[in-house]
Amino acid sequence: MPPMRPLLELAGGARRLEGPLLFLQRKVEVGYNEAVEVVGDDGVVRLGRVAAVDRERLIVELLEGAAGLDLPRTVVRFPGEALHFGLGSGVLGRVLDGVGRPLDGGPPLPVSCRLRIDGLPLNPVARDTPQDFIETGVTAIDLMNSLVRGQKLPLFSAGGLPHDRIAVAIAGHARLRSARDDQFAIVFAGVGIAHDTAEYFRTSLQDSGALQRSVLFLNLAGDASTQRLLTPRYALTAAEYLAFVEGRHVLVIMTDMTAYCEALREVAGARGEVPARKGFPGYLYSDLASIYERAGCIRGRPGTLTQLPILTMPSDDIGHPVPDLSGYITEGQIVLSRSLDRAGVWPPVDVLPSLSRLMKDGTGEGFTDADHPALASQLYAAYARAAQARLLARVVGEDGLSDADRRYIRFGMRFEAELIAQQQPRSLEQSMRCAWELLAGLPGGELTRLSDEQIARHIAPRAGGVAR
Amino acid sequence: MSRATTESIAGPVLRARCDGPFAMGEALRVGRAGLLGEVVRLAGDELVAQLYEDTTGVKPGDQVEGLGRPLMVWLGPSLLGGIYDGLLRPLDGLDSPFIAPGERRRPVRRFSFEPLLAVGSPVAPGQPFGRIDGGALDLRCLVPPELAGEIVHIVAAGTYRDDEPLARLRTPAGTERVLAMGHEWPVRRPRPVRHRLPTEAPLLTGQRVLDTLFPVALGGKAAIPGGFGTGKTVLLEALAKSCSADVIVYVGCGERGNEIAGTLAELCALVDPRSGRPLSERTVLVANTSNMPVAAREASIYCGVTIAEYFRDQGLDVALLADSTSRWAEALREVSGRLGEMPGEGGYPAYLGSRLAEFYERAARVTTLAGGHGSVTLLGSVSPQAGDFSEPVTSHTTRYVRSFWALDARRAQARFYPAIDPLQSYSEDAAAVAEWWQRIFAALPGGGGEGNEWVVLRRRVLTLLDDQARLGRMARIVGKDALQAPQRLTLLCAEVLGEGFLRQSAFSPNDRACGAERQAQMLRILGIFLDLGHQALTTGANPEAIAGLPVLRRLQRVGEEIADGDRQAFADLEREMRQSFAALEGRSGSSEEARSDAPDASAS
């Protein structure tokens, strides 16, 4: 963080300190939401922002721990602008704390431009439609929920599931199918994560050699919770710089967004705001949108910003406000399943509730394979039918099922064991080949999502005498 | 114009000390940037305003300027084909890809104008005084409602800028007023009409499950509730592209920027079958994405419906698509919370219900002030928390809409789109549009049957879906094999109905929109299939044999394989189906298997 130019300084104005809120007597001209530096007697500089202001009073929201501050000796500095982040070339390869200060013992970041951390809304007219298919190597994503550049596609996970490993696998394999030399970069934002998780990401990136084109922002579980409100914003500001100033294709991995939302709830509670659901403030949707909506492509600029946020669903509940509101903002979701994980399936992606909204724009003729969309749709239809048959079998036993239903149950088992589960990253062609094999085990008359021509080309040669 | 001085600021809520009279709902500007706001509360000499823009940097002491009028928008022909923010400021043609707060100018466009009145003609409020060539549409220049008098000057035909004075009118009081192609109107006030009319024709959506099972009438109102990922936005976009309205107003209220960009690109690329010009020429996009200021999200819905009424007043049928009304309700909640109002259910303000009622009440089919007929149809999506329809926004909305299109997560997970749940959805407009549909059936080859064929077939389909759900529950207890033959046939028929009629891909070139005639043909051929199936059962065939007929696959892929207007293909399919069943009958008479099944069939 480069030093801000202090314009105004206020000493001895502090009147009250309550949780993350510092109440000051207003003696200076300060605007709403402007940045604040609070310096205690201990010399530690804490970042904050103006949360409310009237003629007499000024309420500062401290974004770092208040411990160690007292009232008479606290000095507050006002740079006269909203929080900014100074960035320049050379930010790649660095490890920073949650507000962009070096943690790796390296020199301060070089600064060639200063960007507002809140960003400004991207004009929908200036957006380019995201349609470059990214091959992640994960069949459940590539084949059935394709990711495209500029998309925001979260992993809905839960405690104990291998979301970190999936994120690392995607970061390591993600590539465009056209073998272009890519200006690829990774921004990793650890929000309230455990030390070992942070260490796992760092060493994995290092081992794969990706650390040189990555920036890490780490707000660990032990750091001030209010700082968590800033970490995604600093990380996204760096990502926007890399994407739209340096012209790179940036993948932003943010984990864990649930910790972010909990920090927001904490601050809202301290402000005495009326809570909406489960104690979260009513503006949680807008606040999350101000983070997620920063993914995209801008017409006429070379770079793109793709987001892969990870959130853990408290008690595996997809209806919890955090996954629920995220799902309404993001362009789909990849949902992990505990029962698949227990069955030893890796990656344990539950495809039925998973979805990629931008898949239609980046797959099919001219993008991936002409038959890709129909194949994905047919797999979904068949697997949903298999799930239904399985439910039926659990009640009445497999003997009570029709022959077709029994074939669907077999299909469902093979689908999980052979298509979803994978040891190695697969190319899209490999995934598709595997999928055609599976579908060939179903009665041909049932494949209503495929055209006659597609059946003749892909299913019939594999099915032998099976298809009707 | 009154002035005031800012006292305090928190989020979008500003308090200021007044230096003169302010009115409730008066529009105002704050500070040097001229941030736009609106008075929401008055107490003594203090006013409370909600600001429609990011308030970063606003300080106590900043000047507030009252504009002396409520929040107004400019309504004119150049709205068509444009994209605007929640306050109807253009988003097109900005220098930076990012949107900074502050004022923006409306770009001026030129249109060819032809006067309809001569000097000396008396004019009534809302009367057209000129014609404009709007590309895809023939538009009118309207005298603003509430203005009447006599034309004292009018320009000759020619091409004019859309902000140029085109005519002058002398009011009965003797003052002269200038008329232009467009005029301003307060967004929160419904535009006046001569009177409201009963609904009769449907708004065709091109979606079979909606038009046939749960129609919405022109001037009707429909809600589309559904959890995330159930296809609300895809469905609304499909309606924007293919519904039968003259003008489409699409309000993206607190939704995704990438989707708006995609919609915009598609509307520009798609060719309107009616005029052969880009579809965007009869579309207005209002985009207030989820990361744009929240208070403007509240205003965007009103802006959208005001635009819709303006085009209605020219005698056009307008559809307003709002995605999503829940985000609008959340904006109400957020501002209400900041004002310190007592929260009601779910933290929403107590006036949520009345605001929703006011909004949906603006849907109507009317006789306009000028005597023409026009309509505004409102279609709003609802995003209930955790897909729970008992939450306040959904439950209030249910009370005010006439068509309810519930989306079902289970169908969406199987990629069965549109994921309309036929058992939870309903339409109160079905009776009103039945006659219209009968005329479509009567025009088919073979003419109309006795009574209203549409009503009969529709009821049959709904009954079949109801039976399917009941039998599905039963099968879960006793097993599918334990069901009797007619019951197994019912399940088979319901499956064919689902795949062959209800499912419709929004991305299929042939099936993304289905014309009324093709819907009627598909419905009729399904009816024939049901009859043949039952008949075959009585002559001894079993449901599994019917399920094995190759013609079933054809029937399930009709949407993909038969195009609008291809009457021959339907005739061929019907013949093939009758032949298949006839052959089946011939076989089953001698088959061992069928005989063993026959007592089962007769027993029921």
Side-chain angles (χ1 to χ4, degrees), chain A residues 29-87:
Chain A
E29 284 283 302
V30 197
Y32 171 73
N33 203 26
E34 285 183 1
V36 176
E37 283 181 316
V38 180
V39 191
D41 194 37
D42 50 9
V44 178
V45 179
R46 297 161 178 87
L47 289 179
R49 61 182 167 206
V50 178
V53 56
D54 60 28
R55 282 233 174 258
E56 287 86 39
R57 274 187 332 168
L58 191 65
I59 305 176
V60 169
E61 183 179 298
L62 285 168
L63 297 160
E64 299 185 77
L69 287 183
D70 61 21
L71 293 181
R73 286 175 298 182
T74 291
V75 177
V76 185
R77 297 201 289 249
F78 301 96
E81 58 177 15
L83 278 169
H84 278 62
F85 187 16
L87 286 151

Side-chain angles (χ1 to χ4, degrees), chain A residues 196-257:
Chain A
D196 43 330
T197 310
E199 209 36 33
Y200 172 74
F201 273 99
R202 204 184 58 77
T203 49
S204 309
L205 289 174
Q206 197 163 27
D207 293 348
S208 66
L211 196 60
Q212 290 317 307
R213 46 190 176 91
S214 310
V215 200
L216 275 67
F217 289 82
L218 300 179
N219 166 278
L220 300 184
D223 292 339
S225 62
T226 37
Q227 198 194 67
R228 279 169 209 157
L229 301 184
L230 294 181
T231 307
R233 298 194 159 85
Y234 272 94
L236 284 167
T237 307
E240 279 170 357
Y241 165 80
L242 290 168
F244 304 131
V245 179
E246 291 197 358
R248 292 173 199 274
H249 296 290
V250 186
L251 177 68
V252 183
I253 300 173
M254 294 187 287
T255 181
D256 169 352
M257 290 307 290

Side-chain angles (χ1 to χ4, degrees), chain B residues 544-562:
Chain B
E544 287 65 38
I546 298 174
L549 292 176
V551 72
L552 243 63
R553 181 173 158 82
R554 296 276 76 80
L555 198 54
Q556 295 188 1
R557 286 185 61 82
V558 168
E560 289 289 335
E561 290 174 355
I562 303 187

Side-chain angles (χ1 to χ4, degrees), chain B residues 223-538:
Chain B
I224 312 175
F228 65 80
T230 49
K232 288 183 297 296
T233 304
V234 176
L235 183 58
L236 274 186
E237 283 173 3
L239 299 192
K241 283 179 244 164
S242 57
C243 85
S244 63
D246 300 314
V247 173
I248 316 288
V249 183
Y250 190 95
V251 184
C253 177
E255 289 290 314
R256 304 173 184 89
N258 276 338
E259 280 176 353
I260 296 274
T263 309
L264 184 65
E266 266 185 277
L267 288 176
C268 292
L270 279 177
V271 173
D272 180 4
R274 295 199 218 169
S275 64
R277 309 186 56 119
L279 197 54
S280 57
E281 285 191 6
R282 50 187 188 90
T283 313
V284 185
L285 267 177
V286 179
N288 195 259
T289 56
S290 54
N291 56 341
M292 281 153 84
V294 67
R297 202 187 292 166
E298 194 257 342
S300 67
I301 290 273
Y302 293 103
C303 285
V305 73
T306 306
I307 298 170
E309 288 177 346
Y310 164 73
F311 286 109
R312 172 202 70 191
D313 290 350
Q314 305 191 21
L316 299 170
D317 290 320
V318 188
L320 173 89
L321 295 88
D323 186 22
S324 137
T325 55
S326 292
R327 304 299 159 228
W328 169 67
E330 279 167 15
L332 281 183
R333 174 169 74 183
E334 187 170 337
V335 174
S336 157
R338 302 259 190 191
L339 290 173
E341 289 171 345
M342 178 76 83
E345 202 184 345
Y348 290 101
Y351 47 79
L352 172 69
S354 54
R355 290 287 171 87
L356 278 167
E358 272 169 36
F359 167 67
Y360 281 110
E361 200 48 28
R362 287 173 82 167
R365 192 170 151 258
V366 304
T367 304
T368 64
L369 290 179
H373 288 182
S375 69
V376 170
T377 311
L378 295 183
L379 310 169
S381 73
V382 187
S383 320
Q385 296 159 353
D388 170 15
F389 289 179
S390 67
E391 59 91 40
V393 183
T394 319
S395 58
H396 281 299
T397 302
T398 323
R399 289 164 46 209
Y400 307 119
V401 296
R402 292 180 59 85
S403 301
F404 189 75
W405 300 335
L407 294 174
D408 171 30
R410 221 167 35 90
R411 280 167 188 261
Q413 289 186 357
R415 301 301 189 261
F416 186 102
Y417 292 123
I420 305 278
D421 182 343
L423 299 181
Q424 278 201 62
S425 304
Y426 59 79
S427 165
E428 296 176 46
D429 285 340
V433 303
E435 222 171 288
W436 186 94
W437 273 105
Q438 180 51 26
R439 285 200 291 277
I440 297 287
F441 273 90
L444 291 183
E450 292 202 3
N452 190 321
E453 194 178 348
W454 183 72
V455 171
V456 173
L457 283 171
R458 178 174 177 269
R459 195 174 307 133
R460 218 165 151 191
V461 165
L462 287 173
T463 315
L464 181 60
L465 289 165
D466 207 32
D467 288 346
Q468 180 193 28
R470 199 166 37 79
L471 292 175
R473 277 196 299 274
M474 207 187 320
R476 224 167 293 153
I477 301 166
V478 300
K480 250 188 210 171
D481 275 8
L483 295 182
Q484 294 179 332
Q487 297 175 325
R488 298 204 304 275
L489 178 69
T490 300
L491 286 180
L492 173 69
C493 290
E495 216 173 288
V496 172
L497 167 75
E499 278 294 322
F501 189 82
L502 302 183
R503 194 168 77 79
Q504 191 176 350
S505 166
F507 309 118
S508 152
N510 187 51
D511 210 22
R512 71 161 68 105
C514 188
E517 186 190 285
R518 187 157 65 109
Q519 295 195 26
Q521 281 168 313
M522 287 174 74
L523 198 57
R524 188 180 264 185
I525 207 154
L526 261 172
I528 297 172
F529 168 72
L530 297 185
D531 290 340
L532 289 174
H534 284 288
Q535 221 174 339
L537 210 61
T538 52

Side-chain angles (χ1 to χ4, degrees), chain A residues 21-189:
Chain A
L21 299 184
L22 173 66
F23 295 76
L24 296 161
Q25 202 180 350
R26 179 172 171 275
K27 295 183 187 159
V28 289
E29 284 283 302
V30 197
Y32 171 73
N33 203 26
E34 285 183 1
V36 176
E37 283 181 316
V38 180
V39 191
D41 194 37
D42 50 9
V44 178
V45 179
R46 297 161 178 87
L47 289 179
R49 61 182 167 206
V50 178
V53 56
D54 60 28
R55 282 233 174 258
E56 287 86 39
R57 274 187 332 168
L58 191 65
I59 305 176
V60 169
E61 183 179 298
L62 285 168
L63 297 160
E64 299 185 77
L69 287 183
D70 61 21
L71 293 181
R73 286 175 298 182
T74 291
V75 177
V76 185
R77 297 201 289 249
F78 301 96
E81 58 177 15
L83 278 169
H84 278 62
F85 187 16
L87 286 151
S89 62
V91 66
L92 286 179
R94 300 298 301 268
V95 181
L96 311 168
D97 75 356
V99 290
R101 295 176 290 221
L103 274 183
D104 50 8
L109 291 181
V111 176
S112 62
C113 64
R114 300 178 71 253
L115 299 171
R116 202 179 137 179
I117 66 151
D118 287 325
L120 283 171
L122 187 52
N123 188 342
V125 177
R127 279 182 188 268
D128 216 349
T129 317
Q131 51 187 21
D132 293 336
F133 174 81
I134 302 179
E135 191 174 274
T136 63
V138 177
T139 301
I141 298 178
D142 290 348
L143 181 59
M144 303 190 64
N145 297 288
S146 312
L147 174 70
V148 295
R149 266 185 182 163
Q151 187 174 10
K152 38 192 182 289
L153 188 64
L155 281 179
F156 281 15
S157 185
L161 293 180
H163 43 262
D164 297 333
R165 195 177 147 205
I166 296 175
V168 164
I170 293 173
H173 184 87
R175 61 177 184 92
L176 278 195
R177 286 160 56 81
S178 54
R180 249 190 345 211
D181 177 32
D182 273 327
Q183 289 263 334
F184 184 62
I186 296 169
V187 172
F188 174 81

Side-chain angles (χ1 to χ4, degrees), chain B residues 10-175:
Chain B
V13 174
L14 172 134
R15 288 165 202 275
R17 196 144 305 279
C18 308
D19 238 1
F22 274 85
M24 194 70 175
E26 183 171 340
L28 46 79
R29 292 199 171 278
V30 179
R32 255 180 309 180
L35 305 181
L36 198 59
E38 187 179 6
V39 178
V40 292
R41 189 184 285 177
L42 290 165
D45 62 349
E46 191 198 58
L47 72 81
V48 180
Q50 62 171 346
L51 297 191
Y52 291 118
E53 305 189 64
D54 180 16
T55 51
T56 296
V58 175
K59 304 183 191 56
D62 280 357
Q63 280 301 306
V64 177
E65 187 197 346
L67 300 182
R69 54 184 178 78
L71 182 68
M72 297 182 82
V73 290
W74 186 88
L75 301 167
S78 64
L79 286 173
L80 288 170
I83 174 164
Y84 307 89
D85 73 0
L87 299 172
L88 226 57
R89 293 176 300 191
L91 288 172
D92 235 339
L94 304 188
D95 299 333
S96 160
F98 296 97
I99 305 169
E103 226 173 326
R104 284 199 296 279
R105 241 165 233 304
R106 187 174 63 80
V108 171
R109 281 172 56 187
R110 301 173 77 87
F111 290 91
S112 80
F113 170 85
E114 185 194 318
L116 291 175
L117 298 174
V119 170
S121 334
V123 284
Q127 190 178 341
F129 65 90
R131 175 186 289 153
I132 311 169
D133 177 16
L137 291 168
D138 187 22
L139 299 172
R140 298 281 178 273
C141 295
L142 300 180
V143 175
E146 303 175 348
L147 204 58
E150 185 190 317
I151 297 284
V152 292
H153 169 77
I154 189 156
V155 297
T159 304
Y160 296 92
R161 288 160 26 138
D162 64 0
D163 59 345
E164 234 172 313
L166 298 176
R168 277 199 316 277
L169 154 161
R170 189 181 301 120
T171 64
T175 52

